[in-house]
Amino acid sequence: MALVNYLPKDTQIVQEIDASGKSSYYLVYSLSRDLVSEGFTYRYKVDDLKSISDTTGVVKPDAVINVADNQYTLSSGSLNGISETDYANSFYFGTYGQLRTVYEQLGIDAETGAESYEYLIEALNEEAKTKKWILSKDAKGRYDYLAVVLEAALEGRTARESDFQKTTWWKTHNETERQQIKDQATDPKTWEKNQRTIRDSIMTQMIAAGIQSYPTAVIDMLVQKYGTGEYTDADVSNVILKLANPRLRYELDTEIQGALAGQTLSVIESTKQIKDTIDAAMGPGASNYYNLEDIANERQANPQWYNEVFLTGLAEQFQSKYTQYAGTNVKRYEDAAPEYRYEWEAITGQKANETSAVWKKFMATNDVKEREDIAFEEAARLGTQTYRDRVKADLTKAFGQAGQRATGGGRYQ
């Protein structure tokens, strides 16, 4: 067999013949040391065997498998380490063209080649650029999303929502983001089309902004954020304008900064989780004072330290900062903040800037009347409609409605 050099060295070829006699060809791989489970088999479809043949010979299938009534029967040839059942339950990744892309990215030496395991790792990293849930890990560092997807594949089915609910990514993301997993699993063609549309739109905006070279990692991040609803059109526009003119007074979020710095997606995702945890415990912006990557690395190496020391320390810092909660069960900013937000909006008529000094003073004050004065003073400074309405009501109460004094109906006759 004379395969082109961009295919893994352990490539095996199956000719699959259905009940009508139609043939399909697949490149098949079986991992002896798989990421998730023993004996995982996966495949890529190839339309024409000539397209994967080099100039020294003709490629022929290693095995022919007949398929009828969902029964897979080996009719000729053999496959190394793969049974008919393994093949029937193999995971379909896509077309063989993806393998060439991986080969080019890996920079594999044509003489030595590489095993399918190396291709798989790179392929998963590529997929994760727009499907961040792929590399989801549990507390023990195991790839829990891959585990449920591959387990389903081995059972001859696609993963269900109940499977995804077991993953860390699902548990730590909102419903809009979770919908991406469901869409990609149930209607991958439409999902991929939507992703391409988003990417094309972003690249068009970059060209319009005068950005000549496209920072691929940032584009991937923008596609993911916009696709999940985390970013609006305005957010995407602000990021692009900032990339075109770094002097603009707009701060890129941690993930975009990580992409610009060349961090891997797994690092960006793990640091985002740490950032969200700190900000939820101590308030928006608190994570700016921590080395997120160091904490993420330590968390992976020592989960017990993270759970028992770091998280406990955050709870202690919160109660030290907001002394009204000392000795109570309220140990996080996000547990305490909702009632203060409601109070602030009732007084000022608008949402608070929760990174501002005046908000922090407002939230740290125990006295209700003092909090009202703090918020009302800020409303006066901003000139909010609620402030103007309240002043008008106070003046009316003191001096009466307009015209009352002239007609004798006012308080001061």
Side-chain angles (χ1 to χ4, degrees), residues 188-253:
K189 289 183 178 179
T190 300
W191 188 88
E192 293 285 357
K193 181 180 178 181
N194 291 339
Q195 295 296 299
R196 287 195 299 273
T197 300
I198 295 170
R199 182 177 292 273
D200 290 345
S201 173
I202 288 171
M203 293 179 70
T204 299
Q205 291 180 63
M206 285 185 164
I207 293 172
I211 300 175
Q212 299 301 317
S213 59
Y214 309 129
T216 304
V218 175
I219 295 175
D220 292 334
M221 189 63 67
L222 287 173
V223 170
Q224 187 270 331
K225 284 178 169 287
Y226 187 83
T228 59
E230 184 179 347
Y231 269 13
T232 63
D233 289 325
D235 294 323
V236 172
S237 178
N238 286 334
V239 171
I240 291 173
L241 291 174
K242 177 69 173 182
L243 293 175
N245 181 6
R247 295 184 178 181
L248 288 179
R249 296 185 64 183
Y250 176 80
E251 185 175 355
L252 299 172
D253 71 26

Side-chain angles (χ1 to χ4, degrees), residues 109-174:
D109 183 273
E111 295 296 323
T112 59
E115 299 290 334
S116 59
Y117 180 82
E118 298 170 78
Y119 279 72
L120 177 62
I121 300 301
E122 184 63 26
L124 291 174
N125 281 327
E126 282 299 305
E127 291 287 302
K129 288 183 178 180
T130 51
K131 305 168 190 172
K132 295 176 69 176
W133 52 84
I134 282 179
L135 298 182
S136 171
K137 292 182 182 180
D138 63 16
K140 295 183 179 179
R142 297 173 298 194
Y143 291 94
D144 52 10
Y145 172 82
L146 288 174
V148 299
V149 170
L150 301 182
E151 181 181 358
L154 290 171
E155 294 174 1
R157 62 178 179 83
T158 57
R160 298 180 285 260
E161 183 174 329
S162 58
D163 297 315
F164 299 138
Q165 289 173 357
K166 302 173 186 176
T167 69
T168 300
W169 197 92
W170 183 281
K171 295 173 183 176
T172 56
H173 288 75
N174 61 42

